[in-house]
mmCIF file of all heavy atoms in Angstrom:
data_model
loop_
_atom_site.group_PDB
_atom_site.id
_atom_site.type_symbol
_atom_site.label_atom_id
_atom_site.label_comp_id
_atom_site.label_asym_id
_atom_site.label_seq_id
_atom_site.Cartn_x
_atom_site.Cartn_y
_atom_site.Cartn_z
ATOM 1 N N PHE A 318 69.985 92.201 101.927
ATOM 2 C CA PHE A 318 69.256 93.464 101.687
ATOM 3 C C PHE A 318 68.271 93.324 100.497
ATOM 4 O O PHE A 318 67.388 94.185 100.393
ATOM 5 C CB PHE A 318 70.223 94.569 101.377
ATOM 6 C CG PHE A 318 71.019 95.049 102.553
ATOM 7 C CD1 PHE A 318 72.179 94.482 102.926
ATOM 8 C CD2 PHE A 318 70.501 96.079 103.362
ATOM 9 C CE1 PHE A 318 72.874 94.871 104.038
ATOM 10 C CE2 PHE A 318 71.204 96.510 104.461
ATOM 11 C CZ PHE A 318 72.405 95.913 104.838
ATOM 12 N N TYR A 319 68.362 92.264 99.752
ATOM 13 C CA TYR A 319 67.489 92.084 98.592
ATOM 14 C C TYR A 319 66.648 90.859 98.694
ATOM 15 O O TYR A 319 66.176 90.271 97.763
ATOM 16 C CB TYR A 319 68.360 92.093 97.332
ATOM 17 C CG TYR A 319 69.002 93.489 97.162
ATOM 18 C CD1 TYR A 319 70.247 93.715 97.754
ATOM 19 C CD2 TYR A 319 68.330 94.550 96.572
ATOM 20 C CE1 TYR A 319 70.850 94.956 97.685
ATOM 21 C CE2 TYR A 319 68.919 95.788 96.495
ATOM 22 C CZ TYR A 319 70.110 95.980 97.073
ATOM 23 O OH TYR A 319 70.672 97.246 96.997
ATOM 24 N N GLU A 320 66.550 90.364 99.936
ATOM 25 C CA GLU A 320 65.624 89.288 100.227
ATOM 26 C C GLU A 320 64.453 89.801 101.045
ATOM 27 O O GLU A 320 64.685 90.415 102.079
ATOM 28 C CB GLU A 320 66.377 88.160 101.027
ATOM 29 C CG GLU A 320 67.461 87.506 100.201
ATOM 30 C CD GLU A 320 68.308 86.501 101.040
ATOM 31 O OE1 GLU A 320 67.943 86.361 102.239
ATOM 32 O OE2 GLU A 320 69.242 85.947 100.500
ATOM 33 N N GLU A 321 63.280 89.557 100.595
ATOM 34 C CA GLU A 321 62.096 90.195 101.160
ATOM 35 C C GLU A 321 61.951 89.858 102.649
ATOM 36 O O GLU A 321 61.658 90.738 103.506
ATOM 37 C CB GLU A 321 60.825 89.734 100.434
ATOM 38 C CG GLU A 321 59.551 90.439 100.874
ATOM 39 C CD GLU A 321 58.373 89.986 100.074
ATOM 40 O OE1 GLU A 321 58.564 89.247 99.088
ATOM 41 O OE2 GLU A 321 57.280 90.413 100.403
ATOM 42 N N GLU A 322 62.210 88.666 103.097
ATOM 43 C CA GLU A 322 62.039 88.255 104.470
ATOM 44 C C GLU A 322 62.980 89.068 105.378
ATOM 45 O O GLU A 322 62.580 89.597 106.412
ATOM 46 C CB GLU A 322 62.268 86.775 104.641
ATOM 47 C CG GLU A 322 61.180 85.913 104.016
ATOM 48 C CD GLU A 322 61.387 84.422 104.257
ATOM 49 O OE1 GLU A 322 62.327 84.108 104.980
ATOM 50 O OE2 GLU A 322 60.623 83.652 103.747
ATOM 51 N N ASP A 323 64.269 89.125 105.003
ATOM 52 C CA ASP A 323 65.226 89.839 105.820
ATOM 53 C C ASP A 323 64.926 91.306 105.817
ATOM 54 O O ASP A 323 65.130 92.020 106.785
ATOM 55 C CB ASP A 323 66.634 89.610 105.286
ATOM 56 C CG ASP A 323 67.188 88.239 105.678
ATOM 57 O OD1 ASP A 323 66.508 87.639 106.558
ATOM 58 O OD2 ASP A 323 68.174 87.809 105.109
ATOM 59 N N SER A 324 64.438 91.839 104.678
ATOM 60 C CA SER A 324 64.132 93.249 104.567
ATOM 61 C C SER A 324 62.973 93.620 105.523
ATOM 62 O O SER A 324 62.994 94.674 106.161
ATOM 63 C CB SER A 324 63.743 93.631 103.141
ATOM 64 O OG SER A 324 63.405 94.988 103.036
ATOM 65 N N ASP A 325 61.996 92.747 105.626
ATOM 66 C CA ASP A 325 60.846 93.016 106.494
ATOM 67 C C ASP A 325 61.201 92.880 107.975
ATOM 68 O O ASP A 325 60.694 93.682 108.819
ATOM 69 C CB ASP A 325 59.692 92.066 106.155
ATOM 70 C CG ASP A 325 59.168 92.376 104.754
ATOM 71 O OD1 ASP A 325 59.366 93.537 104.276
ATOM 72 O OD2 ASP A 325 58.514 91.497 104.187
ATOM 73 N N SER A 326 62.020 91.881 108.254
ATOM 74 C CA SER A 326 62.237 91.584 109.674
ATOM 75 C C SER A 326 63.463 92.323 110.244
ATOM 76 O O SER A 326 63.657 92.380 111.425
ATOM 77 C CB SER A 326 62.485 90.100 109.883
ATOM 78 O OG SER A 326 63.631 89.685 109.185
ATOM 79 N N GLY A 327 64.323 92.866 109.328
ATOM 80 C CA GLY A 327 65.485 93.563 109.768
ATOM 81 C C GLY A 327 66.603 92.680 110.230
ATOM 82 O O GLY A 327 67.560 93.098 110.904
ATOM 83 N N LYS A 328 66.513 91.363 109.930
ATOM 84 C CA LYS A 328 67.569 90.454 110.438
ATOM 85 C C LYS A 328 68.849 90.630 109.611
ATOM 86 O O LYS A 328 68.813 91.061 108.498
ATOM 87 C CB LYS A 328 67.055 88.997 110.238
ATOM 88 C CG LYS A 328 65.941 88.610 111.163
ATOM 89 C CD LYS A 328 65.687 87.118 111.077
ATOM 90 C CE LYS A 328 65.269 86.687 109.725
ATOM 91 N NZ LYS A 328 65.009 85.254 109.623
ATOM 92 N N LYS A 329 69.938 90.280 110.237
ATOM 93 C CA LYS A 329 71.255 90.284 109.524
ATOM 94 C C LYS A 329 71.690 88.896 109.339
ATOM 95 O O LYS A 329 71.454 88.022 110.152
ATOM 96 C CB LYS A 329 72.273 91.092 110.287
ATOM 97 C CG LYS A 329 71.901 92.610 110.368
ATOM 98 C CD LYS A 329 73.007 93.397 111.073
ATOM 99 C CE LYS A 329 72.772 94.865 110.991
ATOM 100 N NZ LYS A 329 73.837 95.638 111.685
#
Side-chain angles (χ1 to χ4, degrees):
F318 287 89
Y319 297 89
E320 294 174 1
E321 185 177 355
E322 291 183 3
D323 283 346
S324 177
D325 292 339
S326 63
K328 292 188 299 179
K329 291 185 177 180

